[in-house]
Amino acid sequence: MGAFPPRLAYIGRMFPLVWHPGYSPPLPAHSRFPMSKYTATFNALAPDTPRLLTPEPMPRRWLEAVHDPAYVAAVLAAAVPSAIERRIGFPVTPPVSLRAQLSVGGTWLAALTALETGFAANAAGGSHHALPDTGAGYCVFNDLAVTATRLLTETDVRHLLIIDLDVHQGDGTAICLAGNPRVTTFSMHAARNFPARKARSSRDVALPDGTGDDAYVATLAAELPPLLTPRPDLILYQAGVDPHVTDRLGRLALTEEGLAARDRLVATAAKAAGIPLASTLGGGYLDDVAALGARHAASIRTLASILAPG
């Protein structure tokens, strides 16, 4: 694919951000998933004046390239069986169905934009628990797997790397893309966290409870170089912020500084190798949604400070 283009039309910290108001549909009052965090993240990034890109819903045929057609049909009709809705963690209403399609379309658009500019962020996505025939763990469609599949079919991407640094293992991504030699899946996560039964990524690193900044960053620094050889054409980065010590669904102990160091490490490695990177939001769970949005925004801002031109 070559190095990043030498001339780009961005100034300062401006960067491409994929966003849609449909990313934050309403959920029942009792839901524990912070769906409004996507709007909170967008609001926190507004002072950075990103170049906004609007996604389209991912076409059905590409959803069916990864997911079982019967499951796709149920989601599109907002007629998901209650047992699957329980596994997902919230009801799949028509707005939630649209949100799932837009989220996948957003990661696809971020990937295409990153191939042109070097970096783009989707202010949603990272739904790495969705499996071929079901959703799970607050994930409906696996945007990482669908985007990877479409990229390898429709673009000149020959090999891509998925870096998943959510506190939970990217089990759905690993399963959806198992056996595909053109995709490397890497997951570094808390060993004792969800899912109880782990899948097999190309490379998995399971960390003990309470792993803090220094050990985490040192481990990641040792893992990254082999992942970049041979050089992938694109990195899809699942930048979940739930490794933070205060996250209510995490078991690790990263601070704000540790998350920033993590993101700088990934971004610096990508830039040094001339590899475009598209980021997705991933997990993050706080009762204070504004603070959670600020945490996700800080992750995107760190990546953009290194990868966005200007």
Side-chain angles (χ1 to χ4, degrees), residues 234-278:
L234 175 70
I235 294 171
L236 296 179
Y237 180 29
Q238 208 275 22
V241 297
D242 43 10
H244 194 277
V245 63
T246 64
D247 194 276
R248 61 179 168 84
L249 295 186
R251 301 181 73 101
L252 301 183
L254 271 63
T255 64
E256 305 288 347
E257 292 76 15
L259 285 174
R262 174 199 74 171
D263 293 332
R264 283 195 300 269
L265 192 59
V266 172
T268 300
K271 186 170 184 178
I275 304 169
L277 183 146

Side-chain angles (χ1 to χ4, degrees), residues 1-4 158-161 225-234 270 272-276:
M1 302 294 296
F4 299 161
R158 293 293 171 260
H159 184 267
L160 60 84
L161 167 64
L227 296 171
L228 304 181
T229 306
R231 177 185 172 279
D233 296 313
L234 175 70
I275 304 169

Side-chain angles (χ1 to χ4, degrees), residues 16-27:
L17 179 70
V18 181
W19 160 254
H20 196 287
Y23 280 174
S24 291
L27 289 180

